[in-house]
Amino acid sequence: MQETTILWADDEIDLLKPHILFLNEKGYNLKTVTNGNDALDLFKKEKFDLVFLDENMPGLTGLETLAKIKSINPDVPIVLITKNEEEYLMEDAIGFKIDDYLIKPVNPKQILLTIKKLIDNKRLVSEKTSMAYQQDFRTLGMTLNENLSFSEWVDVYKKLVYWELSLEKLEDAGMHEILTMQKSEANVQFCKFIEKNYLSWIKDPESGPVMSNQLFKKKVFPLLETNVPVFFVLIDNLRYDQWKMINSILTEYYHVEAEDSYYSILPTATQYARNAIFSGLMPLEMEKRFPDMWQNDEDEGGKNLHEEKFLADHIQRGLRKECKYSYHKVLTFEQGKDVTENINNMMSNDLNVIVYNFVDMLSHARTEMAMIRELANDEAAYRSLTLSWFEHSPLLDALKKLSQKKIKLIITTDHGTISVKHPSKVIGDRNTNTNLRYKQGKNLNFIAKDVFHIKNPHDAMLPKLHISSSFIFAKEDSYFVYPNNYNQFVNYFNSTFQHGGISLEEVIVPFVTYTPR
């Protein structure tokens, strides 16, 4: 471990020799001066990891020295040591971005504790986190070989995300690699679980998890009984880990009443999953009930143009009382500002649905724009970009405004997304859809181990466009490519974020209920 060097400025430094000897024995290198000017001269010449400043020195005071040191290097932690407990002094020190303060007389153990907190904290946290994950790695590994239920798979996924977010703060490439391998193994087992159980859940919905088409009936409509306005915010394409990032901001304004989840239907694509949410129907049922509005993959035109009409029909079928509601879809910054300005008018509604499309646009932009690829070049960067958007979005402004009112807030999404790594060749006719994670078409030719093949779409309550039509869903982190222009296709789409197939990231969807603080 590299030696920690500390600068200590105090006009009574001779009286502190026992403290300095104690810290030397603990492996710290101390440089001492008796005034602020000498502290500044030494700070300019040498590199220090930490600075202790006496508040009451002749010449430059501790606070004046603090300000000058911060102007040279604002990142070095500074501790003010003072006999004065006046509140104004502490406020001034905090204003200068002091990192800690100690009241004289100080004992050596106090000093040591402060050093560990400011300097060794990162190393100690890193060591403890790595050790804790190593212990949990074995437990998770054994869990993955068990016959897990749909709720236990949610717990596994949340645990993996917890470790992903914890380990990303550490500079330990080995731990990251191990976690990546464990996530990959979890997805292998999860895809087998979905293959084994999905069609039986469709046949008997009560035997499986809450799915997209059951979401309003099971989780939203019951909240309307509370006679408090419900704001249902669907951020398209928002994974559980991305929700964790924005939740860190939301909890400044809201209490998490319930952190829940549900399973997206297949395909985990907006056209299917989101329409199922708002209609309360599976795609085959939508095709039959709304022949003029449901769009199949082969049809021209937008696939999500009728969500509000689907919602209206769903409310009429699903609720036994009148429900005053609003529906807003936000595709631009200006539309987001309009929603924020309209908050007061929405308070008279029982239900307000707001669909935000930013994260979906981000994932597509990452595929299509080199600059966005650079900004979101891995999972951590992708999360960071989502957080940055949210911090500066009209959505956060709207949610801050709502936090001053008596409401219930729901944050959810329609499906997640996965970074694809493994190309899988597929052959289909010219009418086969273009999605990289699922295909439907006639006489599809594919690599069987890479897909979940549903031979009869009606078994999965999906439309059947032709007598010989079937669906295939990419498993784990595979993506479909055509043999023509194979290398060009692979170079363009490898490591992009895609959805439509089967993975923990795409299928397990956050559904979180909040109340204002």
Side-chain angles (χ1 to χ4, degrees):
M1 185 180 69
Q2 190 176 351
E3 189 178 46
T4 298
T5 303
I6 299 168
L7 172 61
W8 196 335
D10 193 307
D11 61 325
E12 298 176 329
I13 202 72
D14 288 343
L15 301 177
L16 297 170
K17 279 188 177 175
H19 297 60
I20 293 164
L21 287 171
F22 173 78
L23 293 175
N24 287 153
E25 288 171 5
K26 294 292 181 183
Y28 299 103
N29 179 28
L30 273 291
K31 300 286 182 78
T32 61
V33 293
T34 57
N35 60 74
N37 285 318
D38 287 348
L40 281 174
D41 289 342
L42 197 56
F43 190 83
K44 290 173 185 175
K45 292 176 187 173
E46 299 185 28
K47 180 181 178 298
F48 292 97
D49 301 294
L50 179 65
V51 178
F52 285 112
L53 291 177
D54 179 33
E55 183 266 325
N56 189 22
M57 293 185 290
L60 285 178
T61 67
L63 283 179
E64 290 168 338
T65 308
L66 164 67
K68 289 180 181 293
I69 286 177
K70 283 289 184 184
S71 69
I72 299 167
N73 186 346
D75 297 324
V76 174
I78 298 180
V79 179
L80 195 68
I81 301 175
T82 177
K83 292 177 183 174
N84 192 342
E85 295 185 58
E86 290 291 332
E87 187 177 345
Y88 80 89
L89 178 69
M90 294 303 103
E91 288 179 352
D92 285 348
I94 291 166
F96 281 117
K97 296 185 178 177
I98 197 167
D99 295 277
D100 204 353
Y101 70 90
L102 297 170
I103 306 297
K104 286 186 175 182
V106 293
N107 66 55
K109 287 186 179 177
Q110 271 182 294
I111 297 288
L112 182 62
L113 188 64
T114 298
I115 293 170
K116 286 198 174 293
K117 183 170 73 174
L118 294 175
I119 297 297
D120 290 349
N121 185 56
K122 187 175 180 182
R123 177 182 61 81
L124 292 170
V125 167
S126 176
E127 288 175 0
K128 294 283 186 188
T129 303
S130 294
M131 193 179 301
Y133 174 61
Q134 287 173 43
Q135 291 171 348
D136 213 16
F137 172 82
R138 290 186 286 274
T139 306
L140 271 168
M142 289 187 288
T143 301
L144 292 178
N145 292 318
E146 295 172 5
N147 187 20
L148 300 177
S149 67
F150 56 78
S151 59
E152 288 170 332
W153 270 113
V154 171
D155 294 337
V156 165
Y157 179 45
K158 287 183 176 180
K159 180 63 72 77
L160 288 167
V161 169
Y162 167 80
W163 285 120
E164 188 170 21
L165 297 180
S166 299
L167 293 174
E168 86 173 19
K169 298 169 187 171
L170 313 184
E171 295 174 1
D172 189 337
M175 283 293 118
H176 286 279
E177 190 176 342
I178 292 167
L179 177 66
T180 300
M181 289 168 58
Q182 190 160 54
K183 272 184 71 181
S184 179
E185 173 58 22
N187 261 325
V188 170
Q189 300 302 329
F190 181 69
C191 289
K192 289 178 182 175
F193 171 73
I194 293 293
E195 268 191 289
K196 181 181 176 182
N197 294 286
Y198 186 77
L199 294 181
S200 64
W201 295 341
I202 300 302
K203 191 174 182 180
D204 178 14
E206 296 307 312
S207 69
V210 173
M211 300 184 76
S212 310
N213 59 311
Q214 303 165 298
L215 191 63
F216 265 79
K217 179 183 176 182
K218 295 281 185 76
K219 293 185 179 290
V220 180
F221 288 159
L223 295 178
L224 299 178
E225 303 297 329
T226 60
N227 295 318
V228 174
V230 173
F231 283 77
F232 178 94
V233 179
L234 187 150
I235 304 173
D236 187 43
N237 214 1
L238 185 78
R239 297 192 316 200
Y240 179 74
D241 59 330
Q242 291 171 299
W243 165 74
K244 290 289 281 186
M245 302 300 286
I246 70 171
N247 184 60
S248 62
I249 298 175
L250 280 174
T251 49
E252 294 178 32
Y253 308 97
Y254 292 89
H255 293 288
V256 174
E257 192 173 78
E259 182 191 321
D260 208 345
S261 60
Y262 74 95
Y263 277 50
S264 171
I265 65 163
L266 299 179
T268 50
T270 307
Q271 168 192 354
Y272 292 88
R274 198 158 81 202
N275 281 328
I277 290 170
F278 291 125
S279 68
L281 302 170
M282 290 294 285
L284 182 61
E285 295 170 315
M286 280 183 267
E287 184 189 45
K288 289 177 179 176
R289 186 172 179 86
F290 304 104
D292 297 331
M293 287 189 268
W294 171 255
Q295 295 277 300
N296 280 309
D297 285 313
E298 289 185 358
D299 296 331
E300 297 290 329
K303 312 298 186 188
N304 287 84
L305 301 178
H306 305 292
E307 291 166 3
E308 187 172 3
K309 291 174 182 174
F310 290 155
L311 176 64
D313 181 72
H314 192 181
I315 288 171
Q316 193 173 10
R317 294 190 332 264
L319 282 177
R320 285 169 288 184
K321 64 171 190 173
E322 286 293 313
C323 176
K324 192 178 176 188
Y325 70 95
S326 70
Y327 171 90
H328 297 84
K329 184 184 285 189
V330 177
L331 301 171
T332 67
F333 189 85
E334 289 304 318
Q335 288 172 342
K337 286 173 65 177
D338 289 344
V339 166
T340 304
E341 289 166 9
N342 199 33
I343 289 292
N344 289 335
N345 295 331
M346 295 186 202
M347 289 301 296
S348 61
N349 297 327
D350 303 300
L351 172 66
N352 298 284
V353 170
I354 304 170
V355 175
Y356 253 82
N357 254 44
F358 174 80
V359 179
D360 185 54
M361 289 189 286
L362 172 62
S363 69
H364 291 301
R366 191 189 176 282
T367 300
E368 295 158 13
M369 295 174 60
M371 184 181 73
I372 300 294
R373 279 202 192 207
E374 291 294 320
L375 288 172
N377 62 348
D378 59 20
E379 303 279 5
Y382 189 49
R383 285 189 287 270
S384 179
L385 207 53
T386 305
L387 178 63
S388 180
W389 159 73
F390 184 70
E391 287 178 313
H392 303 97
S393 69
L395 175 57
L396 180 56
D397 294 335
L399 297 179
K400 285 179 183 177
K401 197 170 178 180
L402 281 172
S403 71
Q404 306 300 313
K405 303 180 183 297
K406 190 176 180 182
I407 62 146
K408 278 200 184 295
L409 170 67
I410 295 164
I411 301 286
T412 191
T413 186
D414 45 6
H415 55 77
T417 185
I418 187 169
S419 177
V420 295
K421 308 287 187 190
H422 295 102
S424 180
K425 290 182 181 178
V426 65
I427 298 172
D429 66 22
R430 61 187 180 85
N431 292 320
T432 303
N433 63 302
T434 58
N435 188 287
L436 300 188
R437 292 281 291 163
Y438 82 92
K439 299 288 182 188
Q440 73 155 317
K442 297 180 288 186
N443 305 316
L444 294 171
N445 194 310
F446 49 84
I447 300 170
K449 68 179 179 60
D450 293 340
V451 311
F452 174 29
H453 183 205
I454 296 181
K455 295 177 183 177
N456 180 7
H458 287 184
D459 291 343
M461 295 297 283
L462 292 169
K464 189 172 183 177
L465 302 188
H466 309 282
I467 293 174
S468 59
S469 285
S470 67
F471 274 80
I472 56 171
F473 301 97
K475 298 191 295 189
E476 303 147 40
D477 59 359
S478 297
Y479 61 106
F480 295 130
V481 294
Y482 296 114
N484 298 338
N485 300 321
Y486 177 84
N487 290 329
Q488 181 183 346
F489 210 76
V490 168
N491 290 334
Y492 188 74
F493 287 106
N494 197 58
S495 296
T496 61
F497 289 93
Q498 303 293 336
H499 54 268
I502 305 171
S503 65
L504 289 160
E505 292 90 333
E506 291 163 288
V507 172
I508 296 178
V509 178
F511 183 93
V512 189
T513 313
Y514 298 87
T515 51
R517 284 191 176 275

